[in-house]
Amino acid sequence: DIQMTQSPSSLSASVGDRVTITCRASQTISIYLNWYQHKAGQAPKFLIYAASSLQSGVPSRFSGSGSGTEFTLTISSLQPEDFATYYCQQSYNTPHTFGQGTKVEI
Amino acid sequence: QLQLQESGPRLVKPSETLSLTCSVSGDSISSSSYYWGWIRQPPGKGLEWIGYIYYSGTAYYNPSFNSRVAISIDTSQNQFSLSLHSVTAADTAVYYCSRHIREVRRKYAFDLWGRGTVVTVSS
């Protein structure tokens, strides 16, 4: 199975901050990397696919980059509604695997 | 608006079978564009893909479940179900149903999720 490792596991930030989360794959996965946002008690939300493509309806302050084994999710200007846990997930092959999550706190 | 809603027992005894159903509203489950599946999150751990199913009935599973799992689909009821056999305390988790895009390779992803349901395995 492909192991996905996120860093940091948590971070503290303020509204307006630029936030970057890193996701590393244990082997190359080309661009087949997705990002999700999860708030407690809610359905996880699909943000980015193919490493850098924004899902419809997702604010443009979210962006993704990377290929191969290293990827980043960036929030350019953190908004109050962005405080949540973020997960990466590889779609290169099955079994689909996720990172352990990065909790973005105030 | 498409919604997924999990339902089923919240408490299951060890060695028994965990059974959950996901009801889909707002769109037909008989679409060639998607798989329908399950993901779980044990307390304090990450997300784990369990498996998914196509409307034709073809299912794909995570090998880590060692044949304990079965996913079925009922297109007439617009719902699909999870059965996890011989459960232990390690199967205690939040279980999410989800839709997975299958038609566009670069967009293979879980694009819609339910809110999740907590299932506890305990005697």
Side-chain angles (χ1 to χ4, degrees):
Chain A
D1 299 1
I2 298 174
Q3 306 302 315
M4 307 301 293
T5 304
Q6 286 181 236
S7 61
S9 56
S10 65
L11 64 90
S12 296
S14 301
V15 172
D17 284 354
R18 181 182 182 88
V19 169
T20 299
I21 299 168
T22 298
C23 177
R24 290 185 174 85
S26 61
Q27 66 182 72
T28 183
I29 58 170
S30 185
I31 61 164
Y32 298 112
L33 190 282
N34 305 314
W35 289 98
Y36 304 86
Q37 176 193 68
H38 189 205
K39 299 178 184 177
Q42 297 186 19
K45 180 182 178 182
F46 176 37
L47 297 178
I48 288 173
Y49 63 94
S52 61
S53 296
L54 217 58
Q55 170 67 344
S56 175
V58 174
S60 59
R61 62 181 180 273
F62 290 91
S63 64
S65 65
S67 66
T69 61
E70 189 152 335
F71 303 85
T72 59
L73 171 70
T74 299
I75 309 171
S76 60
S77 177
L78 200 64
Q79 297 302 299
E81 60 268 31
D82 301 336
F83 291 95
T85 301
Y86 293 85
Y87 294 93
C88 61
Q89 174 247 327
Q90 63 83 14
S91 57
Y92 183 76
N93 64 13
T94 58
H96 300 291
T97 48
F98 295 82
Q100 80 279 16
T102 296
K103 187 173 185 179
V104 177
E105 300 175 294
I106 299 174
Chain B
Q1 183 180 357
L2 182 66
Q3 287 190 319
L4 285 72
Q5 177 67 55
E6 304 91 349
S7 61
R10 303 294 183 93
L11 181 64
V12 182
K13 290 182 167 54
S15 80
E16 295 190 347
T17 296
L18 180 159
S19 298
L20 295 173
T21 295
C22 183
S23 299
V24 181
S25 58
D27 198 5
S28 173
I29 203 172
S30 299
S31 169
S32 62
S33 301
Y34 304 105
Y35 294 122
W36 303 91
W38 295 91
I39 294 162
R40 73 178 187 180
Q41 185 170 32
K45 296 189 176 182
L47 294 163
E48 182 177 31
W49 174 66
I50 299 172
Y52 47 42
I53 192 166
Y54 191 48
Y55 79 95
S56 66
T58 301
Y60 305 86
Y61 302 119
N62 188 330
S64 70
F65 287 88
N66 293 325
S67 303
R68 291 196 299 135
V69 65
I71 298 175
S72 59
I73 194 164
D74 185 340
T75 55
S76 66
Q77 297 293 317
N78 222 42
Q79 60 187 26
F80 59 101
S81 299
L82 169 71
S83 294
L84 183 62
H85 307 292
S86 305
V87 297
T88 69
D91 295 309
T92 293
V94 179
Y95 285 78
Y96 298 94
C97 61
S98 65
R99 185 178 79 171
H100 187 276
I101 299 169
R102 65 174 293 277
E103 273 203 329
V104 179
R105 178 63 185 96
R106 67 191 304 269
K107 206 172 182 180
Y108 278 15
F110 301 96
D111 71 325
L112 285 171
W113 301 56
R115 288 176 172 259
T117 187
V118 178
V119 179
T120 301
V121 178
S122 175
S123 55

